């Protein structure tokens, strides 16, 4: 559970991310595909070369969804319900991959927002992304 202070740290940084979802999300996916090659297998229909239009577009969708989750941080189950269905029933992404993506997102935030991304802020994001991942993997069984 995130404290009020942790929620504020997440929502604040989301405000700074929101205009740059494609670039930042694309970078997170580039890092995911480079460091954790097995994650590429879910995207056989994408051009996965670094910085490709496919990767940026998809990264933008992922970070926008995270922004939406932050707007509904106290009711994420409902806010992410459709995405949860998609990942569990259609895509069947192995739940372990969510941790890998969360790690890459945090790396991007640290690189681009060094002043904001203090240890406390990272701890808040780690909790938040774990909560988002828990919702997206909650319907697997
Ligand atoms: C699709 C968000 C984790 C694989 C999507 C979409 C969003 C999204 C917003 C687009 C849905 C639509 O078009 O209606 C997220 C979030 C994640 C997450 C917020 C975790 C924080 C993952 C992980 C994988 C993955 C870990 C696999 C490594 C996919 C695939 C698609 C997809 C294969 C369909 C892509 C396409 O064909 O357009 N996700 N996702 N997702 N996601 Fe995720």
């Amino acid at each position: 559970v995130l404290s009020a202070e942790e929620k504020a740290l997440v929502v604040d940084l989301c405000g700074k991310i929101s205009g740059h979802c494609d670039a930042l999300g694309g970078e997170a996916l580039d890092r995911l595909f480079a460091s954790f090659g097995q994650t590429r297998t879910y995207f056989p229909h994408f051009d996965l070369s670094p910085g490709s239009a496919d990767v940026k577009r998809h990264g933008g969708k992922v970070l926008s969804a995270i922004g939406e989750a932050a707007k509904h941080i106290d009711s994420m189950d409902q806010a992410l319900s459709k995405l949860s269905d998609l990942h569990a029933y259609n895509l069947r992404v192995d739940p372990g991959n969510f941790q890998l993506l969360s790690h890459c997102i945090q790396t991007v935030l640290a690189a681009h927002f060094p002043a904001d991304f203090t240890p406390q802020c990272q701890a808040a994001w780690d909790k938040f992304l774990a909560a988002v991942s828990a919702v997206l993997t909650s319907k697997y069984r």
Side-chain angles (χ1 to χ4, degrees), residues 112-134:
H112 289 267
F113 303 100
D116 296 273
F117 208 63
T118 60
Q120 295 91 318
C121 183
Q122 176 172 4
W125 271 87
D126 193 58
K127 272 195 198 178
F128 170 62
L129 292 173
V132 170
S133 300

Side-chain angles (χ1 to χ4, degrees), residues 32 39 42-43 45-46 58 61-62 65-66 83 86-87 91 93 97-98 101-102 105 129 132-133 136:
L32 181 75
T39 57
Y42 295 97
F43 300 90
H45 50 308
F46 274 32
H58 189 65
K61 287 184 192 174
V62 172
I66 286 171
L83 266 191
L86 179 75
H87 285 80
L91 301 172
V93 175
N97 290 315
F98 285 81
L101 177 59
S102 297
I105 291 170
L129 292 173
V132 170
S133 300
L136 294 191

Side-chain angles (χ1 to χ4, degrees), residues 58 61-69 76-93 98 132-133 135-140:
H58 189 65
K61 287 184 192 174
V62 172
L63 275 197
S64 301
I66 286 171
E68 276 305 300
M76 288 204 293
D77 279 6
Q78 292 101 294
L80 297 175
S81 172
K82 273 192 181 166
L83 266 191
S84 175
D85 287 345
L86 179 75
H87 285 80
Y89 301 136
N90 298 25
L91 301 172
R92 298 170 198 279
V93 175
F98 285 81
V132 170
S133 300
V135 176
L136 294 191
T137 56
S138 63
K139 295 182 183 164
Y140 277 62

Side-chain angles (χ1 to χ4, degrees), residues 13 16-31 56 63 103-118 121:
L13 193 47
K16 299 192 180 185
I17 293 167
S18 65
H20 313 278
C21 285
D22 284 26
L24 298 173
E27 184 183 327
L29 290 178
D30 283 339
R31 290 177 183 274
K56 279 191 190 145
L63 275 197
H103 171 74
C104 291
I105 291 170
Q106 290 181 44
T107 305
V108 170
L109 297 181
H112 289 267
F113 303 100
D116 296 273
F117 208 63
T118 60
C121 183

